[in-house]
Amino acid sequence: AQKITQTQPGMFVQEKEAVTLDCTYDTSDPSYGLFWYKQPSSGEMIFLIYQGSYDQQNATEGRYSLNFQKARKSANLVISASQLGDSAMYFCAMRESGNEKLTFGTGTRLTIIP
Amino acid sequence: DTGVSQNPRHKITKRGQNVTFRCDPISEHNRLYWYRQTLGQGPEFLTYFQNEAQLEKSRLLSDRFSAERPKGSFSTLEIQRTEQGDSAMYLCASSLGLSYSPLHFGNGTRLTVT
């Protein structure tokens, strides 16, 4: 079974609009962490934001925020005021406690339209 | 902090040849990871080191693959008798090893086996 599911293979968004990238996960471990990465065409994976399963508040980092709904097992990334430079692949990933592996989803390709 | 460095950026080799990739992690990071990414997929875990000890290997890592981190600093990933199915992006990452620590990735080595 997929541990991380990203159901949007591609999205097109007008510049300056907000965008939500979906991520659902599957785990029976009560302690886990969720990560979002950006991968531009250059190939480097860039860390964006982290949410711990016990964190009481949704994580925010600049224009990035995480809409964490624990009961639904979803961790959607919200990018506010999108910019042309936001065009990239975005990956959701999870690490369960006691496990070093980050398990990634298949990603969403975001294209910002001027 | 110079980031994670990987060499070479690109490698084209003929089937059956051996190849070796190098990764230099962020200096204060004790954990080093290797991932493989094929087109349209998220990165898949291969193996990781804590200092010089290789602590986990994925079943994806066949006997033709070997990774070392001899002095707990840089790491090498060798693929012997390459096959066309080995063509992929090989990503190296490092982290501080805390549960909430993100992985910091290099730019990757793109391997093409002809």
Side-chain angles (χ1 to χ4, degrees):
Chain A
Q2 287 283 348
K3 289 213 168 202
I4 297 286
T5 302
Q6 295 182 254
T7 57
Q8 305 152 310
M11 288 190 70
F12 291 84
V13 172
Q14 204 75 38
E15 189 180 7
K16 299 181 185 176
E17 289 186 352
V19 56
T20 298
L21 305 181
D22 295 342
C23 172
T24 57
Y25 58 91
D26 182 26
T27 182
S28 57
D29 192 335
S31 177
Y32 52 89
L34 297 156
F35 301 78
W36 275 92
Y37 283 84
K38 172 184 179 181
Q39 188 176 41
S41 55
S42 58
E44 183 182 1
M45 296 284 286
I46 301 167
F47 166 69
L48 297 178
I49 195 167
Y50 166 82
Q51 179 84 46
S53 60
Y54 291 120
D55 292 345
Q56 294 297 313
Q57 294 188 340
N58 287 342
T60 61
E61 286 287 347
R63 293 187 299 112
Y64 304 109
S65 61
L66 210 150
N67 183 0
F68 180 47
Q69 298 188 44
K70 195 170 181 176
R72 292 187 174 186
K73 294 187 175 178
S74 76
N76 298 339
L77 177 70
V78 180
I79 306 174
S80 63
S82 57
Q83 303 170 356
L84 296 178
D86 294 333
S87 294
M89 284 291 290
Y90 288 80
F91 291 95
C92 179
M94 176 175 66
R95 178 195 282 148
E96 295 163 305
S97 67
N99 191 338
E100 272 305 310
K101 289 187 293 189
L102 266 189
T103 301
F104 287 82
T106 51
T108 295
R109 180 171 296 282
L110 176 64
T111 303
I112 306 300
I113 306 164
Chain B
D1 180 355
T2 57
V4 178
S5 175
Q6 290 189 248
N7 288 289
R9 290 295 310 275
H10 304 275
K11 179 71 177 179
I12 300 173
T13 191
K14 292 186 177 179
R15 189 176 55 187
Q17 297 294 304
N18 299 344
V19 294
T20 300
F21 310 141
R22 177 178 170 127
C23 172
D24 289 88
I26 294 171
S27 56
E28 61 266 29
H29 287 179
N30 60 9
R31 300 249 170 121
L32 185 148
Y33 308 78
W34 285 99
Y35 279 76
R36 181 171 70 187
Q37 186 178 23
T38 53
L39 206 60
Q41 300 296 316
E44 296 174 294
F45 171 81
L46 292 178
T47 188
Y48 92 96
F49 293 82
Q50 178 161 323
N51 299 314
E52 66 275 10
Q54 187 174 17
L55 296 186
E56 187 175 347
K57 292 196 292 186
S58 163
R59 278 172 281 184
L60 291 175
L61 214 64
S62 77
D63 291 345
R64 297 184 296 105
F65 288 69
S66 62
E68 294 183 343
R69 194 183 183 196
K71 297 181 180 178
S73 55
F74 73 92
S75 175
T76 57
L77 177 68
E78 180 184 15
I79 310 174
Q80 296 182 326
R81 304 181 303 282
T82 52
E83 301 173 355
Q84 286 187 324
D86 298 331
S87 295
M89 176 77 88
Y90 290 84
L91 294 164
C92 177
S94 67
S95 82
L96 286 170
L98 302 172
S99 62
Y100 51 85
S101 299
L103 271 57
H104 295 268
F105 284 84
N107 286 331
T109 294
R110 182 170 295 284
L111 173 66
T112 302
V113 182
T114 62

